[in-house]
Amino acid sequence: MNTILKWPGSKVRVMTELSAHFPAGNRLVEPFAGSCAVMMNTDYPEYLVADINPDLINMYRQIKEHTRPFIVVAMALFSQNTTEESYYRVRKEFNENASMPLLERAAHFLYLNRHGYRGVCRYNLKGEFNIPFGHYAKPYYPLYEIEMFAEKAQRATFICAGYQETLGMVKAGDVVYCDPPYHGTFTEYHTGGFSEDDQHSLACYLLGISERNSVILSNSDTLFTRSIYRAFDITKITVARSVGVKAGEGKRATEIIAVRKPEFHQSLIGWDMASGLNSSAFMELPQ
């Protein structure tokens, strides 16, 4: 299932490899929403989808709650603004009109994504969207993808929050998937960026959560990421890279899928404590 947005690093093309690592669960928790490719290509009863980008989360909420009005407003933007000049006019309005209704802002965000350079999402330090015009012959209007998303989104809760707050909401039965800005690549996703300290902090959070919940993460294949996820099972995959390469020059890169699931003996101890039985009998179970 393709996604509403063009998105560098979208997981649509690697879902075959990625989905093999997803266990069953009551809810999938994603602290880095991105294009929602994983939500659209998995089948959990519920989803908690978060991101620090308020425009991204607003668009997902508007599509979920006001599907038909969003389709109409966004389609009008696509049909009435087809030139480079009109792109910059829409971008200027998006950046400067603080009182723009949320539905219109969501439609503007989709328009900028589909008309901007390779679907990159970037803001300057003032919080202004600053991606240049993409020079596409005929940008695709994702009507089918919007309708499919709106249907799937009825199972989802969308929140604008950082990964720390989102991971603090994980509960028993949840599966956690993280697709943060990749180490050593484009990290200025939003005004704050994503540093190596952030990468390390995320790894620490996930290690703690993995004592109770299954955790899956995607990232660049570097010595740094292999070090901070050394307690995880790591699988290397090869993917296409589309941003930062010359036109017509296909390049591929390696990524890791890091997976950690609760230990068998920890599950037993948790069950034993909940039942009120003496847990000492289980302490000698192998690691």
Side-chain angles (χ1 to χ4, degrees):
M1 178 70 208
N2 287 325
T3 57
I4 297 168
L5 301 172
K6 292 170 64 70
W7 204 259
S10 172
K11 295 298 174 284
V12 170
R13 294 183 180 180
V14 298
M15 280 308 302
T16 299
E17 295 95 329
L18 190 58
S19 61
H21 299 280
F22 281 73
N26 298 332
R27 182 176 68 164
L28 182 66
V29 177
E30 288 194 75
F32 303 91
S35 66
C36 280
V38 172
M39 186 189 90
M40 293 307 299
N41 288 280
T42 54
D43 191 21
Y44 285 89
E46 296 180 43
Y47 295 85
L48 174 61
V49 180
D51 203 276
I52 60 169
N53 186 339
D55 292 319
L56 184 68
I57 294 301
N58 175 56
M59 188 193 72
Y60 290 148
R61 286 174 174 168
Q62 295 301 321
I63 292 173
K64 174 184 177 179
E65 299 167 11
H66 309 289
T67 309
R68 301 319 300 180
F70 175 86
I71 288 173
V72 171
V73 173
M75 188 176 292
L77 269 178
F78 274 65
S79 63
Q80 297 169 12
N81 299 276
T82 58
T83 66
E84 181 174 0
E85 179 183 6
S86 60
Y87 171 83
Y88 287 110
R89 184 172 60 249
V90 171
R91 194 183 77 171
K92 186 174 188 293
E93 183 180 14
F94 180 80
N95 285 330
E96 297 181 0
N97 187 356
S99 61
M100 182 184 295
L102 292 177
L103 180 64
E104 291 185 25
R105 186 166 183 85
H108 277 60
F109 184 74
L110 175 61
Y111 170 89
L112 293 173
N113 171 266
R114 283 285 172 177
H115 291 75
Y117 178 76
R118 296 194 177 186
V120 174
C121 183
R122 184 186 66 198
Y123 298 77
N124 61 26
L125 293 178
K126 296 179 181 179
E128 298 171 335
F129 189 89
N130 64 357
I131 295 301
F133 185 59
H135 296 283
Y136 300 109
K138 188 177 181 181
Y140 175 65
Y141 181 69
L143 175 60
Y144 175 75
E145 288 80 3
I146 293 170
E147 292 175 334
M148 292 301 98
F149 180 91
E151 180 179 336
K152 188 70 169 284
Q154 302 311 309
R155 304 188 211 172
T157 299
F158 299 98
I159 63 171
C160 185
Y163 68 87
Q164 301 98 325
E165 180 181 348
T166 307
L167 293 176
M169 300 170 69
V170 172
K171 56 189 180 182
D174 287 347
V175 175
V176 178
Y177 172 66
C178 287
D179 185 25
Y182 277 17
H183 176 250
T185 59
F186 175 68
T187 59
E188 299 302 318
Y189 164 64
H190 208 251
T191 53
F194 205 80
S195 66
E196 284 195 349
D197 286 344
D198 292 315
Q199 298 279 2
H200 189 268
S201 174
L202 174 63
C204 291
Y205 270 90
L206 295 180
L207 185 61
I209 288 172
S210 69
E211 299 299 320
R212 309 176 306 279
N213 301 83
S214 293
V215 173
I216 307 98
L217 172 129
S218 297
N219 213 316
S220 302
D221 184 8
T222 67
L223 290 175
F224 176 79
T225 55
R226 283 181 175 269
S227 174
I228 61 176
Y229 290 104
R230 59 188 177 275
F232 290 61
D233 294 325
I234 292 178
T235 301
K236 182 173 75 172
I237 62 173
T238 302
V239 299
R241 177 180 290 168
S242 61
V243 175
V245 301
K246 296 178 181 178
E249 181 184 342
K251 289 190 176 181
R252 301 187 71 78
T254 57
E255 298 182 359
I256 61 168
I257 301 172
V259 179
R260 186 173 166 89
K261 299 178 181 179
E263 295 288 345
F264 179 67
H265 78 284
Q266 292 168 335
S267 299
L268 280 176
I269 293 171
W271 167 83
D272 180 52
M273 292 175 67
S275 66
L277 299 175
N278 184 351
S279 63
S280 61
F282 296 109
M283 289 301 189
E284 298 303 317
L285 284 171
Q287 298 294 319

